[in-house]
Amino acid sequence: MSTIAAISTPRALGGISVIRISGEEALAVADKIFTPISAKEKPSQMAGYTCAYGKVSDGNNDIDEAVLTVFRAPRSYTGEDVAEISCHGGIFVTEQVLRLALKNGAVPAEAGEFTKRAFLNGKINLTQAEAVMDTISAGGRAELRCAAALRDGALFRRIKSVSDSIVTLLGSLAAWVDYPEDDIPAVDETEIEKVLTATIAELGEMLKGYDNGRIIREGIDTAIVGKPNVGKSTLMNLLSGCERSIVTEIAGTTRDIVEESVRLGDVVLCLSDTAGIRDTEDVVENQGVKLAKKKLETAQLVLAVFDTGEALTDEDISLAESCTGKLSLAILNKSDLEQRFDFEKISHCFGASVSISAKSGGLGELEKVLGKLLKTEEFSPEAGVLTNERQRRCAERAKVSFEQALDALHCGATLDAVTIIIDDGENALLELTGERASEAVVDEVFSHFCVGK
């Protein structure tokens, strides 16, 4: 493979920038552009895990003072010889150093190519490679914890455990089918059923937990809905920590959708504050009400706000019924006032409820209840969780194949036919871990990476 180079730090002003060079000729390229000041050795003569202070030069002019770090194959990030040049963090000087590396034998690295080489050289598996981008994009403690567990191999080990039991079963089936002359005992169908049932159950648990993990990693599309003047905009401002929505005593103030992303505990809520839902002859407000109803239908989570200082109305009942079957939380607002609201009549429409005074606060209780509703409190990435759609699809394909194999077994299909179906499921598991992933799958994974990683 060619020797590649790229800037591995953001292209912005900063204290330092790092230019990474990897490949068989990485240290030879470094020899041509970097001269140590105090050491007599050239970069190609330096031991792995050592640094040297010196100057980057084009042969005629010094470009910058820098520190060169050498990593020797196979004990490097990519598994190849690697030279990393840490120079001053100016955009122009950083690009000049990269340009020198490219002029002296390196070629530009593609997106994610350093990590891709780490995968191809057996330094990491495919799920660990995906964890690299999860680590970079983590926006909070929970996401970082999830990425760390994935990088540590938690998902790989869990899938590997499932895969190993299937491989053992396939080995027994193959021996019986391929070598009938050796009088190998037929595999007990009860044992086949036992292995398939356990595997289907394990994959089912992983798929069930996917949505909870996705909510923590990506956030959840959340609509704040309710009648006019129940405190929707006040709740929006409380969650946002600023005056994001206009709050007045005049009903119908909010006529468009106001959006903001906020973090509440371990969850990012992609909030949409909507117009108050009511019948109105105002043309502009009516458009806002239509948008609010549409947002209620499409949102992944609904925060339905009610004014508990007022009696339950038909409009409240209609709104509650619209939340039936959806992931929804009833916000019983204005808890500081005399309570006149009969929530028991509509409580069955919601997954949970919480009493707060959005004007005075109450985020702590809201965070607690929301965590229980979304089951984020139960989320344990260390157990090995599916973290992206590619992994989910592979797990789903494997589960479907094993279910089909079990059905075929119950219907009296021959064991060689059952074996073919089981093998399809095993291929899906191996694609998930990257042990048998096609080049197209691998390219797709790394296409989401940034250049330099």
Side-chain angles (χ1 to χ4, degrees):
M1 285 191 282
S2 58
T3 295
I4 56 174
I7 300 168
S8 288
T9 44
R11 295 202 177 202
L13 296 178
I16 64 169
S17 290
V18 177
I19 295 85
R20 177 180 285 167
I21 309 168
S22 179
E24 189 175 338
E25 299 298 319
L27 301 182
V29 171
D31 281 347
K32 297 175 183 177
I33 66 174
F34 181 85
T35 304
I37 289 179
S38 58
K40 297 180 180 179
E41 298 175 326
K42 294 181 178 180
S44 59
Q45 298 170 323
M46 292 169 57
Y49 303 119
T50 59
C51 300
Y53 170 69
K55 293 185 177 181
V56 178
S57 172
D58 63 5
N60 296 314
N61 301 298
D62 292 337
I63 303 299
D64 194 17
E65 296 177 344
V67 174
L68 175 80
T69 306
V70 170
F71 302 90
R72 293 279 184 176
R75 297 182 178 182
S76 70
Y77 180 73
T78 61
E80 304 171 329
D81 283 344
V82 173
E84 292 187 353
I85 299 174
S86 300
C87 63
H88 288 94
I91 297 174
F92 179 75
V93 68
T94 302
E95 291 180 345
Q96 290 301 301
V97 175
L98 174 62
R99 190 171 298 174
L100 275 180
L102 299 179
K103 184 179 178 181
N104 285 277
V107 298
E110 297 178 358
E113 191 170 359
F114 292 104
T115 305
K116 183 177 181 180
R117 291 193 177 196
F119 165 69
L120 295 175
N121 290 328
K123 301 293 292 184
I124 54 175
N125 58 56
L126 197 56
T127 57
Q128 287 174 315
E130 289 172 313
V132 172
M133 276 309 298
D134 287 349
T135 301
I136 293 172
S137 60
R141 182 178 61 250
E143 297 101 304
L144 189 60
R145 180 182 161 205
C146 186
L150 187 64
R151 198 171 62 247
D152 190 48
L155 176 61
F156 179 84
R157 288 190 295 272
R158 190 173 182 183
I159 292 296
K160 187 68 174 173
S161 176
V162 172
S163 178
D164 285 348
S165 65
I166 294 296
V167 168
T168 300
L169 177 61
L170 285 171
S172 300
L173 287 167
W176 180 76
V177 171
D178 295 341
Y179 303 100
E181 68 279 359
D182 292 345
D183 295 325
I184 297 174
V187 180
D188 187 354
E189 291 190 6
T190 303
E191 180 61 24
I192 298 174
E193 183 175 356
K194 179 182 177 181
V195 172
L196 289 177
T197 301
T199 300
I200 291 167
E202 179 69 0
L203 291 173
E205 283 297 311
M206 296 181 71
L207 289 165
K208 190 190 303 182
Y210 173 73
D211 284 339
N212 293 340
R214 180 182 54 78
I215 287 171
I216 286 178
R217 292 185 310 277
E218 302 174 8
I220 185 167
D221 183 25
T222 306
I224 301 176
V225 298
K227 296 186 305 183
N229 270 16
V230 294
K232 299 185 304 299
S233 295
T234 304
L235 176 63
M236 177 71 161
N237 292 340
L238 174 66
L239 290 167
S240 302
C242 63
E243 296 297 315
R244 189 66 181 83
S245 295
I246 298 174
V247 178
T248 72
E249 295 180 357
I250 302 172
T253 303
T254 302
R255 298 191 172 196
D256 203 346
I257 292 178
V258 180
E259 298 180 332
E260 185 71 67
S261 289
V262 303
R263 178 174 295 281
L264 187 63
D266 287 335
V267 181
V268 172
L269 303 178
C270 304
L271 293 173
S272 295
D273 180 19
T274 63
I277 297 176
R278 65 171 178 177
D279 293 328
T280 177
E281 295 182 1
D282 186 297
V283 177
V284 178
E285 186 183 355
N286 190 50
Q287 289 299 312
V289 172
K290 288 181 179 179
L291 288 175
K293 290 180 177 179
K294 184 177 180 180
K295 191 65 184 178
L296 189 156
E297 293 175 0
T298 60
Q300 296 172 304
L301 170 67
V302 176
L303 302 183
V305 185
F306 299 96
D307 182 349
T308 58
E310 300 291 337
L312 181 71
T313 66
D314 290 341
E315 289 176 322
D316 292 322
I317 294 173
S318 177
L319 173 63
E321 289 174 347
S322 298
C323 295
T324 302
K326 297 185 67 67
L327 184 61
S328 56
L329 174 64
I331 308 290
L332 307 180
N333 192 30
K334 305 185 182 181
S335 60
D336 53 326
L337 302 180
E338 180 182 351
Q339 300 298 288
R340 300 175 181 175
F341 193 77
D342 186 2
F343 179 64
E344 289 300 319
K345 290 185 178 180
I346 59 173
S347 60
H348 63 280
C349 299
F350 300 96
S353 64
V354 60
S355 295
I356 66 169
S357 170
K359 186 176 182 179
S360 305
L363 283 181
E365 187 62 23
L366 178 57
E367 178 184 331
K368 181 180 177 181
V369 173
L370 192 59
K372 290 181 178 179
L373 176 64
L374 299 178
K375 298 180 180 179
T376 53
E377 293 181 337
E378 305 170 8
F379 184 65
S380 178
E382 291 79 10
V385 295
L386 303 170
T387 63
N388 58 50
E389 186 60 23
R390 182 196 73 83
Q391 295 169 4
R392 190 204 66 79
R393 288 199 308 267
C394 288
E396 180 65 34
R397 279 171 41 212
K399 180 173 177 286
V400 169
S401 291
F402 297 140
E403 288 171 339
Q404 291 174 343
L406 193 58
D407 289 342
L409 187 67
H410 291 160
C411 292
T414 61
L415 289 185
D416 54 343
V418 172
T419 300
I420 292 172
I421 303 173
I422 295 174
D423 194 52
D424 285 341
E426 175 63 12
N427 284 336
L429 294 179
L430 294 176
E431 181 179 313
L432 196 163
T433 61
E435 294 171 277
R436 198 179 292 173
S438 67
E439 185 176 345
V441 169
V442 173
D443 288 343
E444 168 63 19
V445 168
F446 291 103
S447 68
H448 300 291
F449 279 55
C450 53
V451 174
K453 193 53 188 170

